[in-house]
Amino acid sequence: MTEPDLPQRLRAAAETQPEMQDWLAGLPAHVEAAAARWSLRVGPAFQPGGVASWVAPVVTPADERAVLKIGWRHWEAFHEADGLRAWRGNGTVRLLDYVRPDERTDVLLLEACEPGTSADRLPERDQDVVVAGLLRRLWIVPEPGSPFRPLAGMCAQWADEVDVARARSHVGHAGIVRDGLALFRALPTEGPAAVLLTTDLHCGNVLAARREPWLVIDPKPYVGDPTYDPLQHMLNCRERLTSDPRAFARRMAGLLDVNALRLQQWLFARCVVESAHDADLAPVARALAAV
């Protein structure tokens, strides 16, 4: 694989992460091995691509279209293949096969979403409906013995990272930062029954397909409070988030049939965490501080 075939976002991410540069050096061999394993004809990588995976259209020996995804394993996304197996294509892209050639690499053969346009082209209020409808289908109880990690672990790690970098917070009020981090640690340890979560669902990861109107790709599965799961979609809708975050939370809570106050608390805590590197979310955190 030549250098121009690297997706733009993957190349940019690797420039700031030396360990990813080492992984990219082995990427051509992983593409070649996957093509040989499944007898695939591999096309050029999708552009601009993602920040932690190489993804390209392929054709199988049966002349069926599919997608080859070769991912750099990072801690937030350890169980993508397990999640897709658990969902069995009910609202998500189907996993056709999977192999882990080494500890740093996941190789997934996936159902192709065609035409593959993303739901972020829809008006935002329509996006709300699409996201809520998919999430309500995806919130299943995992089978006993499933490998999924608890949401509480992810939240604790994020909160610890912000604790270390607290001086970089843009919130500008130590008490708000303290309360937000405490809430981010506490919320996942209580509340509704734990279900399988995507944790990173936004309309850029919802693609138009023939089998269903919309299918989810690129989940980062954890088990925990379903009220957490609409947060990434909400963070992506900046105008409504900044103008009236409480009204936005009430709308999403109604669509999802979750507790509106709890969703506001989650949104406040997540905005505090994110404000360490995103100054635009600091005013949202301050506006929600009294929830």
Side-chain angles (χ1 to χ4, degrees):
M1 184 179 66
T2 60
E3 177 67 17
D5 197 33
L6 281 180
Q8 298 167 15
R9 291 174 181 164
L10 183 60
R11 185 189 298 116
E15 289 175 355
T16 63
Q17 301 183 70
E19 64 273 24
M20 182 179 281
Q21 294 174 18
D22 292 340
W23 176 78
L24 280 179
L27 185 56
H30 288 310
V31 174
E32 184 177 356
R37 178 184 182 89
W38 293 306
S39 301
L40 303 173
R41 301 198 302 275
V42 181
F46 292 115
Q47 295 285 357
V51 299
S53 61
W54 183 93
V55 186
V58 297
V59 179
T60 72
D63 283 331
E64 295 175 342
R65 297 182 184 276
V67 169
L68 177 64
K69 178 175 183 177
I70 301 179
W72 179 52
R73 281 175 59 80
H74 55 291
W75 68 271
E76 291 177 28
F78 276 172
H79 297 295
E80 177 179 358
D82 299 301
L84 293 175
R85 283 199 189 101
W87 285 306
R88 299 189 176 101
N90 183 16
T92 70
V93 67
R94 283 177 174 149
L95 178 69
L96 305 178
D97 208 344
Y98 165 73
V99 64
R100 184 190 301 170
D102 58 52
E103 289 303 310
R104 299 190 300 175
T105 310
D106 288 317
V107 181
L108 294 82
L109 185 62
L110 301 166
E111 170 188 14
C113 290
E114 296 178 336
T117 50
S118 64
D120 58 11
R121 300 185 181 188
L122 297 173
E124 279 192 1
R125 291 182 68 86
D126 292 341
Q127 292 181 31
D128 298 345
V129 175
V130 170
V131 165
L134 288 166
L135 285 176
R136 293 184 69 161
R137 294 172 61 192
L138 297 179
W139 290 339
I140 62 174
V141 177
E143 295 181 358
S146 295
F148 306 111
R149 295 164 295 173
L151 179 65
M154 184 185 80
C155 291
Q157 180 162 343
W158 283 12
D160 289 347
E161 290 171 357
V162 176
D163 258 338
V164 171
R166 190 180 292 228
R168 292 203 302 267
S169 173
H170 294 91
V171 170
H173 190 294
I176 292 177
V177 175
R178 182 190 62 244
D179 292 348
L181 294 181
L183 198 55
F184 203 63
R185 290 185 174 101
L187 282 170
T189 67
E190 58 190 23
V195 295
L196 187 57
L197 310 174
T198 69
T199 74
D200 189 34
L201 184 58
H202 55 84
C203 279
N205 283 343
V206 177
L207 303 184
R210 292 195 177 99
R211 180 169 61 84
E212 292 192 16
W214 302 103
L215 293 174
V216 172
I217 63 168
D218 199 29
K220 295 176 175 58
Y222 282 79
V223 172
D225 177 5
T227 320
Y228 176 90
D229 238 7
L231 294 183
Q232 189 59 58
H233 165 66
M234 298 177 73
L235 292 178
N236 284 16
C237 300
R238 288 301 173 95
E239 183 176 349
R240 288 186 295 162
L241 182 67
T242 56
S243 63
D244 195 341
R246 286 187 173 84
F248 193 10
R250 288 193 297 269
R251 171 171 168 76
M252 291 306 300
L255 290 171
L256 290 162
D257 194 25
V258 298
N259 183 276
L261 177 58
R262 187 172 180 84
L263 181 52
Q264 289 181 47
Q265 292 175 322
W266 265 119
L267 186 59
F268 161 63
R270 176 77 182 267
C271 285
V272 168
V273 170
E274 297 286 347
S275 68
H277 54 80
D278 188 341
D280 290 343
L281 291 176
V284 183
R286 290 192 292 268
L288 289 166
V291 299

